[in-house]
């Protein structure tokens, strides 16, 4: 057994509530980066893991995707949930999406969706994106002047876009919104199904409902293929064979869920950052050419996806610390994005920051499939909103989702006057 450097600050990565207390979170992560950048965290009911908090270590690990794999533990969950997932997967019944698999199967799966997220494909979506931005900014006027920006606007707009890309009917959008919120809100009592305190049960119940829905969708797209991403998934072939039911359903689930809450967290968190830094809001209003760097800074600042994990396939080391075969590492993107060795004044929100090598979309072969789409959506929304602002201010206390994985603001009360 190798010596394990433990630091009490690492506990923060196992506390869903810590992600709703930004000061405490960032203090703990800064401490880890300085004193224990590869830190053993053993906090039941989670299986132990190594917390990786430096930007360069995360990139090194993601680059070595044969040594550090996504299977069997792609993100942090309690040990009981991990064990169930493993058993389900061994029985061919577990989720098997892009984030659960490794090459070569991952590469084959990724090819199926890749074309739909390429800049040329996104060009076709750009017009719809602009229309939806206008619809949702108009909605702010309609339901304003006081609104909960997170719930009334930010959760809806990206959902409409990703479900349009999938080819789902608008009548089903509300149902899908509820399910994705239950999946990512499983660690938050207000958002989890039935206010469940059993995060893994709430998560699985919502996933099962999503599967039932997508089973029907697959059957219909196989019978009558249409020109949308859902048809591409339903009719895809790997080595001449159709995807298994599990692969097909997992594909829909990852696109519908990853394509939604992440971007809404970026938009709501981006707006809050502008409200908390009025000098930066005025700067953007005065110089719209800063929109590109402003969007990147919002994505760095908010870091909607908090972490992913990898598991070592062989004995190895990170930063000189021995990591044994089958031990997992947690890649803290939140920490990487405030790494003093990479970002000048990392705790300053600077809409002109350039370069901005944030790791919010990850790195390597699993780099976010929807990164260009997310950038386009956030840019389009703020390009519509910013020039129309007559006045905007907080109208209450913002509330963050308790989460260990994906999320941001749950409530953002604002008072707004637009033209
Ligand atoms: C601001 C918004 C978003 C953020 C911060 C984000 C972040 C991430 C991160 C961190 C990963 C894992 C990368 C890694 O392991 O290295 C990921 C993967 C993924 N994202 Fe996103 N994402 C966002 C929006 C989207 C959108 C709009 C879609 C559209 C479908 C999407 C689809 C995916 C998929 C399918 C994967 C799995 C890729 C793979 O494993 O090969 N994401 N995303």
């Amino acid at each position: 057994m190798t010596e394990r450097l433990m630091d009490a600050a690492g506990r923060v990565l196992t506390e869903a509530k810590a992600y709703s207390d930004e000061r405490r979170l960032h203090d703990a992560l800064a401490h880890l980066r300085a004193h224990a950048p590869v830190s053993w965290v053993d906090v039941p009911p989670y299986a132990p893991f190594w917390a990786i908090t430096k930007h360069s270590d995360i990139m090194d690990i993601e680059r070595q995707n044969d040594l550090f794999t996504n299977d069997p533990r792609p993100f942090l969950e309690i040990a009981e949930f991990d064990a169930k997932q493993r058993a389900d997967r061994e029985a061919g019944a577990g989720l098997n999406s892009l984030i659960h698999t490794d090459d070569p199967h991952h590469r084959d799966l990724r090819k199926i969706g890749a074309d739909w997220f390429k800049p040329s494909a996104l060009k076709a979506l750009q017009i719809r994106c602009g229309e939806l931005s206008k619809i949702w900014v108009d909605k702010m006027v309609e339901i304003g002047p006081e609104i909960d920006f997170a719930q009334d606007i930010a959760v809806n707009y990206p959902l409409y876009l990703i479900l349009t890309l999938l080819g789902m009917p608008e009548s089903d959008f509300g149902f899908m919104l509820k399910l994705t919120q239950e999946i990512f809100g499983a660690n938050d009592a207000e958002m989890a199904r039935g206010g469940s305190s059993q995060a893994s049960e709430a998560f699985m119940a919502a996933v099962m409902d999503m599967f039932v829905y997508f089973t029907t969708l697959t059957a219909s797209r196989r019978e009558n293929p249409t020109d949308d991403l859902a048809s591409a998934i339903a009719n895809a072939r790997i080595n001449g064979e159709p995807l298994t039911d599990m692969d097909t359903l997992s594909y829909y689930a990852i696109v519908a869920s990853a394509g939604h809450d992440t971007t809404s967290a970026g938009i709501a968190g981006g707006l809050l950052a502008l409200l908390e830094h009025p000098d930066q809001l005025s700067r953007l209003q005065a110089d719209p050419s800063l929109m590109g760097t402003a969007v990147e800074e919002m994505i760095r600042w908010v870091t909607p996806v908090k972490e992913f994990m990898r598991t070592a396939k062989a004995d190895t080391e990170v930063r000189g610390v021995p990591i044994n075969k089958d031990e997992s590492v947690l890649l803290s993107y939140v920490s990487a994005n405030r790494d003093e060795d990479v970002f000048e004044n990392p705790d300053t929100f600077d809409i002109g920051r350039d370069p901005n090598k944030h790791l919010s979309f990850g790195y390597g072969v699993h780099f976010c499939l929807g990164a260009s789409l997310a950038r386009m959506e956030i840019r389009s929304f703020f390009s519509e909103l910013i020039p129309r602002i007559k006045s905007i201010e907080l109208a209450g206390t913002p509330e963050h989702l308790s989460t260990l994985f994906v999320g941001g603001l749950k409530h953002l009360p604002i008072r707004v006057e637009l033209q």
Side-chain angles (χ1 to χ4, degrees), residues 62 70 97-101 106 110 117 158 162 165 229 251 254-267 299 303-308 310 331 333 359-371 373-375 377-378:
E62 294 218 45
N70 282 40
S97 78
L98 287 167
I99 64 161
H100 297 88
T101 51
H106 166 261
R110 192 157 164 129
F117 295 95
I162 194 68
L165 184 69
L229 178 57
Y251 219 119
I254 187 79
V255 170
S257 49
H260 168 220
D261 265 33
T262 49
T263 314
S264 35
I267 291 174
I299 296 171
T303 314
V305 177
K306 311 301 170 196
E307 47 91 8
F308 262 99
R310 300 291 188 261
L331 314 177
Y333 298 128
L359 289 184
S360 292
F361 292 119
Y363 183 72
V365 298
H366 288 276
F367 179 78
C368 176
L369 186 65
L373 174 62
R375 287 180 162 127
E377 288 178 61
I378 301 174

Side-chain angles (χ1 to χ4, degrees), residues 57-266:
D57 292 341
I58 293 178
M59 285 178 73
D60 280 349
I61 289 170
E62 294 218 45
R63 201 177 283 123
Q64 302 173 70
N65 58 302
D66 291 332
L67 178 59
F68 289 102
T69 58
N70 282 40
D71 183 57
R73 201 182 174 191
F75 53 87
L76 186 62
E77 258 296 350
I78 59 172
E80 196 188 325
F81 178 94
D82 290 341
K84 181 162 185 332
Q85 280 280 99
R86 209 164 304 161
D88 284 353
R89 280 167 62 72
E90 273 161 20
L95 279 169
N96 201 38
S97 78
L98 287 167
I99 64 161
H100 297 88
T101 51
D102 297 288
D103 288 349
H105 190 57
H106 166 261
R107 193 185 305 133
D108 290 336
L109 281 177
R110 192 157 164 129
K111 263 192 219 140
I112 295 166
D115 279 354
W116 290 81
F117 295 95
K118 282 207 305 232
S120 50
L122 294 180
K123 256 208 171 112
L125 253 194
Q126 202 162 7
I127 294 174
R128 183 69 188 136
C129 190
E131 285 166 6
L132 282 171
S133 300
K134 178 155 186 342
I135 288 171
W136 287 101
V137 172
D138 286 348
K139 194 92 171 170
M140 292 171 72
V141 179
E142 194 186 311
I143 56 178
E146 287 206 4
I147 63 172
D148 178 352
F149 181 80
Q151 288 300 320
D152 296 335
I153 309 297
V155 299
N156 292 291
Y157 157 74
L159 181 75
Y160 271 61
L161 209 64
I162 194 68
L163 298 186
T164 306
L165 184 69
L166 269 170
M168 284 171 51
E170 206 168 319
S171 50
D172 294 348
F173 287 9
F175 174 66
M176 202 45 64
L177 170 64
K178 187 168 151 285
L179 289 187
T180 54
Q181 287 192 317
E182 284 175 355
I183 289 173
F184 286 128
N187 288 107
D188 187 286
E190 184 188 341
M191 294 310 210
R193 170 162 303 202
S196 174
S197 57
Q198 283 297 318
S200 46
E201 277 172 31
F203 176 89
M204 282 320 288
V207 167
M208 285 325 294
D209 278 2
M210 199 178 251
F211 273 20
V212 172
Y213 177 88
F214 283 129
T215 303
T216 316
L217 186 72
T218 305
S220 115
R221 290 300 194 274
R222 285 190 176 152
E223 207 164 307
N224 300 306
T226 45
D227 183 21
D228 53 36
L229 178 57
S231 288
I233 296 169
N235 297 294
R237 293 263 189 284
I238 294 182
N239 301 326
E241 297 294 322
L243 300 190
T244 62
D245 286 352
M246 219 32 172
D247 281 11
T248 309
L249 297 173
S250 300
Y251 219 119
Y252 294 129
I254 187 79
V255 170
S257 49
H260 168 220
D261 265 33
T262 49
T263 314
S264 35

